Amino acid sequence: MSFNTSIPVGRSGSATDAMSRPRRAGVVSRSAPTTPLSGFDRARLRQSPVLSGLPADIFEQLLAECRILVLGRDAPLFEQGEPAEDLQIVLEGRIALIGRTPDRRTCILALIGPAEGMVDPAALIRGPHAIGARTVEASRVACLPAALALQALDSGSAFGRGALGSLAQHWQLFLRRLADQKLRSAPQRLASYLAECAVDSARPGGAPQRESGQPQPVRFVLAEDRRTLASHLGMTPENLSRVIGQLRQHGVELNGRAVTIADLDALRHFGCVATEP
């Protein structure tokens, strides 16, 4: 998951623009198509930071009321100001959390993937969503009723520890992205993001190894379009185009969503990306 704090204006055709359209009444996710809980879903939920420590009986009670949403690309999950009736956990795909001002300016605040716990913890305080959420790519999302989640919170410390851990992860990443906005230039922010995507695309082996001391090119495809990427990194689409041009001298080529990085270590160095232990 990653955060930023800038607010570029959303435009037609982007995930940010979609959030500026008039709100529909009711909770958006209630009308989304659903699918039965699969063995994969059960395993992914059991591994979730929020649910992993639950006793088996409470875990099964939650799963009995769980809905699995099947959402296409750029589909709404919930909208800003709606009551938070569910606790959502991403099983597949990615979700963009989007802020909106009264004059309908929008920006992407975070991208949430399968390994990152709760989409929005507002359900734990039964408050409204302070932000909206849409899919960046085709996604499957588990929705647990807020009332049951609160019962699990009251029943013992395991769920509380999981929820607290997820919130702590959100907070750490928020601080890191805030530091990015303050300390890194726009080219460095893009370099850092592409380097992270490159490593993620090479999982489980991580970043590719050098052969005979020579860097190996890394190729992958971005999930998001350029407007979404620009909003996520705190840029306008026009500024992103200029930054992409600047990264060519650092061995980066973007052709649509296809990315080629000639030397990942050099790009990480330019983006001031810390080396993983």
Side-chain angles (χ1 to χ4, degrees):
M1 178 179 58
S2 45
F3 291 80
N4 82 46
T5 55
S6 300
I7 307 183
V9 178
R11 298 189 179 183
S12 177
S14 67
T16 53
D17 176 67
M19 284 304 302
S20 67
R21 298 167 191 157
R23 287 184 55 205
R24 292 182 287 172
V27 179
V28 170
S29 62
R30 291 293 176 190
S31 61
T34 61
T35 187
L37 187 74
S38 68
F40 170 84
D41 300 331
R42 179 181 292 272
R44 180 58 62 88
L45 286 169
R46 203 37 160 158
Q47 296 168 1
S48 165
V50 184
L51 305 180
S52 60
L54 283 180
D57 57 338
I58 297 178
F59 179 73
E60 292 300 329
Q61 290 175 26
L62 286 173
L63 260 57
E65 300 296 328
C66 179
R67 295 179 302 118
I68 306 298
L69 304 184
V70 181
L71 302 168
R73 181 177 176 272
D74 197 28
L77 179 59
F78 54 78
E79 295 187 356
Q80 185 171 316
E82 285 186 345
E85 296 185 356
D86 294 309
L87 186 67
Q88 296 99 351
I89 298 174
V90 181
L91 301 174
E92 291 182 285
R94 282 202 300 173
I95 304 295
L97 299 184
I98 302 176
R100 183 184 63 207
T101 63
D103 61 356
R104 299 197 179 282
R105 290 187 300 161
T106 58
C107 77
I108 294 177
L109 302 172
L111 294 174
I112 307 292
E116 290 155 339
M118 297 176 287
V119 174
D120 181 8
L124 296 180
I125 58 172
R126 299 306 296 267
H129 290 293
I131 39 78
R134 297 186 76 88
T135 59
V136 174
E137 56 189 285
S139 302
R140 299 173 75 252
V141 180
C143 293
L144 305 171
L148 284 181
L150 289 172
Q151 288 178 20
L153 191 61
D154 291 337
S155 66
S157 60
F159 185 85
R161 286 196 300 270
L164 183 60
S166 182
L167 289 171
Q169 182 186 40
H170 279 57
W171 179 244
Q172 286 183 327
L173 290 168
F174 174 78
L175 291 178
R176 191 179 77 180
R177 293 305 172 184
L178 181 61
D180 284 349
Q181 292 290 325
K182 298 291 186 180
L183 299 174
R184 284 180 172 145
S185 65
Q188 285 178 318
R189 292 201 301 275
L190 178 58
S192 174
Y193 180 74
L194 293 178
E196 290 178 4
C197 290
V199 173
D200 288 343
S201 70
R203 300 291 184 193
Q209 302 297 314
R210 290 173 177 259
E211 295 183 5
S212 303
Q214 297 300 314
Q216 299 300 304
V218 181
R219 297 178 177 85
F220 59 94
V221 177
L222 289 170
E224 58 275 350
D225 58 36
R226 291 199 180 187
R227 289 192 184 280
T228 301
L229 179 60
S231 180
H232 174 53
L233 295 176
M235 309 177 197
T236 64
E238 295 78 12
N239 189 32
L240 176 63
S241 295
R242 290 192 291 270
V243 169
I244 289 172
Q246 294 175 39
L247 286 191
R248 291 195 183 100
Q249 63 183 302
H250 297 281
V252 176
E253 292 291 336
L254 269 78
N255 184 11
R257 298 188 187 189
V259 181
T260 301
I261 300 173
D263 188 336
L264 181 57
D265 287 344
L267 188 67
R268 288 168 63 89
H269 178 75
F270 170 73
C272 299
V273 180
T275 302
E276 295 182 359

